[in-house]
Amino acid sequence: MMASSYNAKDEDGHITVTGPGGGAVLRSKKPENTAFKQQRLPAWQPILTAGTVLPAFFIIGLLFIPIGIGLFVTSNNIKEFEIDYTGADTSSPCFNCSQNFSWNSTSPCTCTVPFYLEQPYESNVYVYYGLSNFYQNHRRYVKSRDDSQLNGNLKSLREPSKECEPYAYHNNKPIAPCGAIANSMFNDTLELFYNDPNGTSVKILLGTTGIAWWTDKHVKFGNPGGVDSNLSAVFQGAGGCWSLALSNAYKRDSTRSSSSDRLSVSGTTKPLNWRRPVYELDSDQSNNGFVNEDFIVWMRTAALPTFRKLYRIIGKSSQMVPTLPRGNYTLEVVYNYPVRSFEGRKRMILSTISWMGGKNPFLGIAYITVGSVCFFLGVVLLVIHHKCGNRNNGAEISN
Amino acid sequence: ASQCCRNRKPHEEERRVRANDREYNEKFQYASNCIMTSKYNIVTFLPVNLFEQFQEVANTYFLFLLILQLIPQISSLSWFTTIVPLALVLSITAVKDATDDYFRHKSDNQVNNRQSQVLIRGLLQNEKWMNVRVGDIIKLENKQFVAADLLLLSSSEPHGLCYIETAELDGETNMKVRQSVSVTNELADQNNLASFDGEVVCEPPNNKLDRFCGTLYWRDKKYTLTNQNMLLRGCVLRNTETCYGLVIFAGPDTKLMQNSGSTKFKRTSIDRLMNTLVLWIFGFLVCMGVILAVGNAVWEREVGSLFQSYLPWDPSVDNFLFSAFLSFWSYVIILNTVVPISLYVSVEVIRLGHSYFINWDQEMFCSQCNTAAEARTTTLNEELGQVEYIFSDKTGTLTQNIMTFNKCSINGQTYGEGPDPLDFTPFNPLADPDFCFYDDTLLESVKVGDAHTHKFFRLLSLCHTVMSEEKSEGELVYKAQSPDEGALVTAARNFGFVFRSRTPGTITTTEMGRPVTYTLLAILDFNNIRKRMSVIVRDPEGRICLYCKGADTVLLERLHPCEQELMNVTSDHLHEYAADGLRTLALAYRDLSEDEWEAWSESYCCADKATSCREDRLAAAYEHIEQDMMLLGATAIEDKLQEGVPETIAVLSLANIKIWVLTGDKQETAVNIGYSCKMLTDDMPEVFIISGNTVHSVRQELRRARERMIELSRTREGGKEEGIEGWKQLQCPPPPPSNLMDNISGEFALVINGHSLAHALEADMETEFVSTACACKAVICCRVTPLQKAQVVELIKKHKKAVTLAIGDGANDVSMIKSAHIGVGISGQEGIQAVLASDYSFSQFRFLQRLLLVHGRWSYLRMCRFLCYFFYKNFAFTMVHFWFGFFCGFSAQTVYDQYFITLYNIVYTSLPVLAMGIFDQDVPDQRSLEYPKLYEPGQLNLLFNKREFFICIAQGIYTSVVLFFVPCAVLSDATQSTGEPLADYQTFAVTTATALVIVVSVQIALDTGFWTVINHVFVWGSLGSYFSIMLALHSQTLFLIFPNQFHFVGSAQSTLLQPVVWLTIALATTICIVPVLAFRFLKVDLKPQLSDTVRYTQLVRQKKHGRLGARGGSRRSGYAFAHQEGFGELITSGKNMRLSSLALASFASRHSSGWIDTLRRKKPTHVQTPPRGSVPLEGSGCCIQQPPPALCSYGNQTE
């Protein structure tokens, strides 16, 4: 029954309802007149006009083509020599080694591979070893390491992370360095001999340092017990040097490990596949243990299954003589690393370097191609624009 | 509030309440009066809120991923890559929920602790609201809130009346009256009430606000109780000193609380599309997973098994099939970022931003009523840019709902056409000074004492439901339920029949200066079906008379047969008035003899007391007495159009929006309003009127209309040949010939009557009606009921895949507002029920054009651009893993650093796209109003649909290919300048990630059309944050603290110092962007959308006028243009007069050009009729270089 419904309205017709937010106060609710609230912020409104897009294409083209040519020329000037010594073919000198080898064999197998450099290599020459079909980027492989241990943490040395499984413990002793990466470290020894035309064979001096990243060598990797500790003692966890090593270790690690740790440290063992323990990688103390550069280089896992890693550097000896003159050479391989089980390949690479690194023809070609395509696109678009575009419609409308 | 308990008891069949007997009532365990709208308390917040959040599918999905990641064999990503975004999303939602709940707690506490006076053991005691129990008797005082649903027992006012305001309950601000049952009213004082022990048996709690059904048993007698006896919680007592009430429903059982249910949740079409797409993406994800798992199986069998000497299988995973199974899940984890968790949150944030812009818009602020526009729903904004049908109420929406008594016809004589307004003051001291009437012959007729005229105004002063308030002698204020009733009573007042006051049984008036009191015998109230109201009064002389006023169609049927001649004359007048767009009512009376009254009174009482079909029986009783009436005349009331309505409608129809007006008014009025607001124009070839009364005739009329349309559009097509010739010069093909109904360009209009509509809405006619009506540009439905309004909306929703918008202001529009995709409420004159039901509200119809064409358009554009880019960037990001899978033995190794994966979506790329989604504009607001055609892409759903989605996805996949293979090809052989190879995993990861961030940043830069400061800050900031965060994460410091967490130490520095890396990034970026750039340029150049053209125009203008006049439409004063100092000092110092005068001249010219610009820009919005030139352009999408209609007129006017 609405017979008695009456209206009580404000005279101005304004109706306010007391919502949950509180009573309505009679003040002006006019929104603020700010550029932000009124969506009038000053703004730059770019438009894709012929005047902006076409020059952009030409500029890209004109920029990329010279860069590409530069890159291509630079890359072409770099000398690179590659030799596969896997020994997959029967004709290969390393065939025997590759056939007979297993991780357990005690006597090293050596093979020599002769090769000929057609051009002399000026300046520093970089020696790489390359592996193919080796999945260093497999998820389980990549994570199978303990960076804390590699950094020299005593606690991790004693108790490797479980990421290292199944290469964390062997015979109840912690493995140092633990994990699948360390376990599979490349251990062929490569040596180069220059066969002088007069018949003598000269061993070429291979520099073993300067091949790892600075941060890896100085930050990421560190020996337990500090720089000047007795490594064998630290890793073996026994012997007369134990207390010394520990005190050093304690000094170094006092911030990280509690003092009770030192009493329970026992010895570590080498990775299963290794012939030598980690503290015997090099006689040079600063290149031994976890900071051994060969080891560090191996531990920096590759992104793709075919990769190369820096092995040695042949420093330029004098201005007059090329580092590697043209002529006959012999590569002497101590064949320790089996790859045939998974159809892998092993290579040795010699390369010089420019400002942009090693030989890299792709980049130059790609730049030239992209640059030309852009330029060409620019021309095509210009033609299309000229023939069919509606250049002036806007201006017509505006009047 | 903690004392509240919500123990659910078995379903209540009926409720028994005995007054003053708590023990008895406690048996039933009725809810106490404590309310708890809050959901959580401090202890339960976390579990309950988390439980609620995990009911969302997306959240559960991410939880599932998180669990997967905890399995070491599967975990391809660290747990934090999922938990950080998940925690972020959950905590944002939780904080929002917590704040909401905190405010609910506060209001609950405040309400529960309100004091009320409860009668306990004969004494009035102050109790908190929450301690009030069912069966208590409460004393209420004036202006107090009613604490619970009460049965009114007694009141201080005579007859047990009391007045309430129900604004909080139903939004109606008018006062309502309630009356107590007479026996309880006699109890009057406190002592009697304390011993009152009546028992109420009534319906169980429900949410029907206008219905109550119960019986009071007291002293062996039964009394029927209706809603008329109830005071509902939420009402405020008014004009009543005190009253007592018996608590029937308390707390959660009250009708107020029962009504506060959840509202119907509306979703936008973009939402639905998004959900479909997300499902598709899930399917895609599973496919990728399967492909990679198969790859994994093959690899493990062929290669992995041989590689075991270096990488043995896990002892638990000893065969390739199991490995593949695990790898499937690993890849699901890695690739999950194609459906980023931040999608839904970002969409909500963007919509919220758009809603704020609507609320903040000054141009949608009405200063007269101090109301800003309000986006009451924050989830529908982009749908505002897709509206195709607008259903509008007429009264109060198109019109102001301010009624003025304009004309009248008394006894065959029409009045109201005079030159000057009448001055009533000398004649009538009680006259309302604001009232205007233009015909003095009517006043003369009153003064002369013409019986008919007197009777006419007497009727107006008696037959109504207006309440009067006389603050001081002669200062009358009328409170009317509807404004036309107020106008009628005011008219009577000014012509000397002043309604002074009423009681339930009497009406006191002052007739020609002489006070008269009538006994009010009955009110036969108005409703939508009856369309009339009557009163039966006994005058002081004892004569009984029925006065009736109502819609002419209804009333004229019920006249005495001898009235035929007068009826014809009056009918003509009514037509005339209707043709002027006036609202008409016919007035009639009937003298009743005492016997007739007695007889009817009895049947009326009988019907009134009936328990079943009461309404029907009352209607029959009313029908019985409202017969054989004598016609008095008719009134015509002017319903003023709102400001800017014709312009708005013109603009909206240029935007291809079809406007349907649904009104309760009669056909002539509706058609007339249609003309006056430019919905119907004289340009229209034909306006079809459907007014058949039978199914058959309606069908016939619809068919005929359709045939005629086809015929007319054929001839027009023929006539257009010349126009086509002209077009050929513009190298543009003519539009395809149209012979389907869909292709008829809608220059037609349809008017349909309520009863015809009823037939048209029947199931078998639906399609016919829809196809006819949708071919018309304007449709007017008159004489429709609120239900029909909703039916029409539902019909269009069902048959057309179009977005509908309903706009209205009254309670009769609520159903329509609720059923349309978007409901807009006009916060105007008729209460706020429509506003409460609406999604958007503002106070003027004309704001609709800004809401749709500016805000809606922008919202749609922004949302589409946002979605396109969002899917693109996530595909570009994620699919790189897929390609990498082929090179890493399908081992689910990620390409990027884990921290990068964690932060990519929430830090590195979130803000620029949010900024674009919130701030982007393609054309300024003024332009979108000027060129309504800009609205079309939204209606056609062009900017984001499945096709666009696939384009984005394809682009994303292309980008991922480039991002993976270019670094792959370059880096595989490259070395640093120190000889170390660059092909290590970390360098590769950093290079790809950097290239990705740069590519997606360049892409967002291309997508952003409106670079505000915020966009700059976000884009550059994101890039900056990427580099700084990466350098920080790869720093020595972090590594030395957590050596096992930050493996990438030194990678950033070492990688980013390499020229080759930068060359690679530049190369990849170019390869990704150049095709996009070329494609977009071609699109703009060859097939420019209108928005592109307008943008270009804007650019040209900016160049022409310099930067000053550039920002269109900001109406600033001349001085505002000069941002530098004025010239005052220069002039007064007299230093260099020549320079200063020169500067002044340039200043003046700049000023004037700006001013002229403003004027020119304003003009087109005032174009009243769309020019004829607009016709050939309808629906021809290809010829956009032809200026759109508004542009034509623009050009014509300025040149």
Side-chain angles (χ1 to χ4, degrees), chain A residues 230-271:
Chain A
N230 185 331
L231 283 180
S232 62
V234 174
F235 282 105
Q236 282 170 342
C241 305
W242 180 231
S243 56
L244 173 72
L246 257 182
S247 63
N248 281 337
Y250 183 59
K251 267 181 222 155
R252 190 189 148 122
D253 276 66
S254 55
T255 49
R256 276 181 251 157
S257 50
S258 66
S259 55
S260 61
D261 280 347
R262 61 183 148 158
L263 295 174
S264 55
V265 171
S266 61
T268 60
T269 180
K270 67 179 174 64

Coordinates of all heavy atoms in Angstrom, one line a residue, chain A residues 230-271:
Chain A
N230 N 98.7 -24.6 3.6 CA 99.2 -25.8 3.0 C 98.0 -26.6 2.5 O 97.2 -27.2 3.3 CB 99.9 -26.6 4.1 CG 100.5 -27.9 3.5 OD1 100.0 -28.4 2.5 ND2 101.6 -28.3 4.1
L231 N 97.9 -26.6 1.2 CA 96.6 -27.2 0.6 C 96.5 -28.7 0.9 O 95.4 -29.1 1.2 CB 96.6 -27.0 -0.9 CG 96.3 -25.5 -1.4 CD1 96.3 -25.4 -2.9 CD2 95.0 -25.1 -0.8
S232 N 97.5 -29.4 0.7 CA 97.4 -30.8 0.9 C 96.9 -31.1 2.3 O 96.1 -32.0 2.6 CB 98.7 -31.6 0.6 OG 99.7 -31.1 1.6
A233 N 97.4 -30.4 3.3 CA 97.0 -30.6 4.6 C 95.5 -30.3 4.8 O 94.8 -31.0 5.4 CB 97.8 -29.7 5.6
V234 N 95.1 -29.2 4.2 CA 93.7 -28.8 4.4 C 92.8 -29.9 3.8 O 91.8 -30.3 4.4 CB 93.4 -27.4 3.7 CG1 92.0 -27.1 3.7 CG2 94.2 -26.4 4.4
F235 N 93.2 -30.3 2.5 CA 92.3 -31.3 1.9 C 92.4 -32.7 2.5 O 91.4 -33.4 2.5 CB 92.6 -31.3 0.4 CG 92.0 -30.1 -0.4 CD1 92.9 -29.1 -0.8 CD2 90.7 -30.1 -0.6 CE1 92.3 -28.0 -1.4 CE2 90.1 -29.0 -1.3 CZ 91.0 -28.0 -1.7
Q236 N 93.6 -33.0 3.0 CA 93.7 -34.3 3.6 C 93.2 -34.4 5.0 O 92.8 -35.4 5.5 CB 95.2 -34.8 3.6 CG 95.6 -35.3 2.2 CD 97.1 -35.5 2.1 OE1 97.8 -34.9 2.9 NE2 97.5 -36.2 1.1
G237 N 93.3 -33.2 5.6 CA 92.8 -33.1 7.0 C 93.6 -33.9 7.9 O 93.1 -34.5 8.9
A238 N 94.9 -34.1 7.7 CA 95.7 -34.9 8.6 C 97.1 -34.4 8.6 O 97.4 -33.4 7.8 CB 95.7 -36.4 8.2
G239 N 98.0 -35.0 9.4 CA 99.4 -34.7 9.3 C 99.8 -33.6 10.2 O 99.0 -33.0 10.9
G240 N 101.1 -33.3 10.1 CA 101.7 -32.3 11.0 C 101.2 -30.9 10.7 O 101.2 -30.0 11.6
C241 N 100.9 -30.7 9.5 CA 100.6 -29.3 9.1 C 99.1 -29.0 9.5 O 98.6 -27.9 9.2 CB 100.8 -29.1 7.6 SG 102.4 -29.6 7.1
W242 N 98.5 -29.9 10.0 CA 97.0 -29.8 10.3 C 96.7 -28.5 11.1 O 95.8 -27.7 10.7 CB 96.5 -31.1 11.0 CG 95.1 -31.1 11.3 CD1 94.6 -31.4 12.5 CD2 94.0 -30.8 10.4 NE1 93.2 -31.3 12.5 CE2 92.8 -31.0 11.2 CE3 93.9 -30.5 9.1 CZ2 91.6 -30.8 10.7 CZ3 92.7 -30.3 8.6 CH2 91.5 -30.5 9.3
S243 N 97.4 -28.4 12.2 CA 97.1 -27.3 13.1 C 97.4 -26.0 12.4 O 96.6 -25.0 12.5 CB 97.9 -27.4 14.3 OG 99.3 -27.4 14.0
L244 N 98.4 -26.0 11.6 CA 98.7 -24.7 10.9 C 97.6 -24.4 9.9 O 97.1 -23.2 9.9 CB 100.1 -24.9 10.2 CG 100.4 -23.7 9.2 CD1 100.9 -22.5 10.1 CD2 101.5 -24.1 8.2
A245 N 97.3 -25.4 9.2 CA 96.2 -25.2 8.2 C 95.0 -24.7 8.9 O 94.3 -23.8 8.4 CB 96.0 -26.5 7.4
L246 N 94.7 -25.4 10.0 CA 93.5 -25.0 10.6 C 93.5 -23.6 11.2 O 92.5 -22.9 11.1 CB 93.2 -26.0 11.8 CG 92.2 -27.1 11.4 CD1 92.0 -27.9 12.6 CD2 90.9 -26.4 11.0
S247 N 94.6 -23.3 11.7 CA 94.6 -21.9 12.3 C 94.5 -20.9 11.2 O 93.8 -19.9 11.3 CB 95.9 -21.7 13.1 OG 97.0 -21.8 12.2
N248 N 95.1 -21.2 10.1 CA 94.9 -20.3 8.9 C 93.4 -20.3 8.5 O 92.9 -19.2 8.3 CB 95.8 -20.8 7.7 CG 97.2 -20.3 7.9 OD1 97.4 -19.4 8.7 ND2 98.1 -21.0 7.3
A249 N 92.9 -21.5 8.4 CA 91.6 -21.6 8.0 C 90.7 -20.9 9.0 O 89.7 -20.2 8.6 CB 91.2 -23.1 7.9
Y250 N 91.0 -21.0 10.2 CA 90.2 -20.4 11.2 C 90.2 -18.9 11.1 O 89.1 -18.3 11.2 CB 90.6 -20.9 12.6 CG 89.7 -20.3 13.7 CD1 88.4 -20.6 13.7 CD2 90.2 -19.5 14.7 CE1 87.5 -20.1 14.6 CE2 89.4 -19.0 15.6 CZ 88.1 -19.3 15.6 OH 87.3 -18.7 16.5
K251 N 91.4 -18.4 10.8 CA 91.5 -17.0 10.7 C 90.6 -16.5 9.5 O 89.9 -15.6 9.6 CB 92.9 -16.6 10.4 CG 93.7 -16.2 11.6 CD 95.1 -15.9 11.1 CE 96.2 -16.5 12.1 NZ 97.5 -16.6 11.4
R252 N 90.7 -17.3 8.5 CA 90.0 -16.8 7.3 C 88.5 -17.0 7.4 O 87.7 -16.2 7.0 CB 90.4 -17.7 6.1 CG 89.9 -17.2 4.8 CD 90.2 -18.1 3.7 NE 89.1 -18.0 2.7 CZ 89.3 -17.6 1.5 NH1 90.5 -17.5 1.0 NH2 88.2 -17.5 0.7
D253 N 88.1 -18.1 8.1 CA 86.7 -18.4 8.1 C 86.0 -18.1 9.4 O 84.9 -18.5 9.6 CB 86.5 -19.9 7.9 CG 86.5 -20.2 6.4 OD1 87.6 -20.0 5.8 OD2 85.5 -20.5 5.9
S254 N 86.7 -17.3 10.3 CA 86.1 -17.1 11.6 C 84.8 -16.5 11.5 O 83.9 -16.6 12.4 CB 87.1 -16.3 12.4 OG 87.3 -15.1 11.7
T255 N 84.6 -15.7 10.5 CA 83.3 -15.1 10.4 C 82.2 -16.1 10.0 O 81.0 -15.8 10.2 CB 83.3 -13.9 9.4 OG1 83.9 -14.4 8.2 CG2 84.1 -12.8 9.9
R256 N 82.6 -17.1 9.3 CA 81.5 -18.0 8.7 C 81.3 -19.2 9.5 O 80.2 -19.7 9.6 CB 81.9 -18.3 7.3 CG 81.6 -17.3 6.3 CD 82.0 -17.7 4.9 NE 83.1 -16.9 4.5 CZ 83.9 -17.3 3.6 NH1 83.8 -18.5 3.1 NH2 84.9 -16.5 3.2
S257 N 82.3 -19.8 10.0 CA 82.1 -21.1 10.7 C 82.4 -21.0 12.2 O 83.3 -20.2 12.6 CB 83.0 -22.2 10.1 OG 84.3 -21.7 10.0
S258 N 81.7 -21.7 13.0 CA 81.9 -21.6 14.4 C 83.2 -22.3 14.8 O 83.7 -23.2 14.1 CB 80.7 -22.2 15.1 OG 80.6 -23.5 14.9
S259 N 83.7 -22.1 15.9 CA 85.0 -22.6 16.3 C 84.9 -24.1 16.5 O 85.9 -24.8 16.4 CB 85.4 -21.9 17.6 OG 84.4 -22.0 18.6
S260 N 83.8 -24.6 16.8 CA 83.7 -26.1 17.1 C 83.9 -26.9 15.8 O 84.2 -28.0 15.8 CB 82.3 -26.4 17.6 OG 81.3 -26.0 16.7
D261 N 83.8 -26.2 14.6 CA 83.9 -26.9 13.4 C 85.2 -27.6 13.2 O 85.3 -28.7 12.7 CB 83.7 -25.9 12.2 CG 82.3 -25.6 12.0 OD1 81.4 -26.4 12.5 OD2 82.0 -24.7 11.2
R262 N 86.3 -26.9 13.6 CA 87.6 -27.4 13.3 C 87.9 -28.8 13.8 O 88.7 -29.5 13.3 CB 88.6 -26.4 13.7 CG 88.6 -26.2 15.2 CD 89.7 -25.1 15.6 NE 89.2 -24.4 16.7 CZ 90.0 -23.7 17.5 NH1 91.2 -23.7 17.3 NH2 89.5 -23.1 18.6
L263 N 87.3 -29.1 14.9 CA 87.6 -30.3 15.6 C 87.1 -31.5 14.8 O 87.7 -32.6 14.8 CB 87.1 -30.4 17.0 CG 87.7 -29.4 17.9 CD1 87.0 -29.4 19.3 CD2 89.2 -29.6 18.1
S264 N 86.0 -31.3 14.0 CA 85.4 -32.4 13.4 C 85.8 -32.6 11.9 O 85.3 -33.4 11.2 CB 83.9 -32.3 13.5 OG 83.5 -31.0 12.9
V265 N 86.7 -31.7 11.4 CA 87.1 -31.8 10.0 C 87.9 -33.0 9.8 O 88.9 -33.3 10.5 CB 87.9 -30.6 9.6 CG1 88.5 -30.8 8.2 CG2 87.0 -29.3 9.6
S266 N 87.5 -33.9 8.9 CA 88.3 -35.0 8.5 C 88.7 -34.8 7.1 O 88.4 -33.8 6.4 CB 87.5 -36.3 8.7 OG 86.4 -36.2 7.8
G267 N 89.4 -35.8 6.5 CA 90.0 -35.6 5.2 C 88.9 -35.7 4.1 O 87.8 -36.1 4.3
T268 N 89.3 -35.1 3.0 CA 88.4 -35.2 1.8 C 89.1 -36.1 0.8 O 90.3 -36.5 0.9 CB 88.3 -33.8 1.1 OG1 89.6 -33.4 0.8 CG2 87.6 -32.9 2.1
T269 N 88.3 -36.5 -0.2 CA 88.8 -37.4 -1.2 C 88.7 -36.7 -2.6 O 87.9 -35.8 -2.8 CB 88.1 -38.7 -1.2 OG1 88.7 -39.6 -2.2 CG2 86.7 -38.6 -1.4
K270 N 89.5 -37.2 -3.5 CA 89.5 -36.6 -4.9 C 88.2 -37.1 -5.6 O 87.7 -38.2 -5.3 CB 90.7 -36.9 -5.6 CG 90.9 -38.4 -6.0 CD 92.2 -38.6 -6.8 CE 92.5 -40.0 -7.0 NZ 91.5 -40.7 -7.9
P271 N 87.8 -36.4 -6.6 CA 86.7 -36.9 -7.5 C 87.1 -38.2 -8.1 O 88.2 -38.4 -8.4 CB 86.5 -35.8 -8.5 CG 87.1 -34.6 -7.9 CD 88.2 -35.0 -7.0

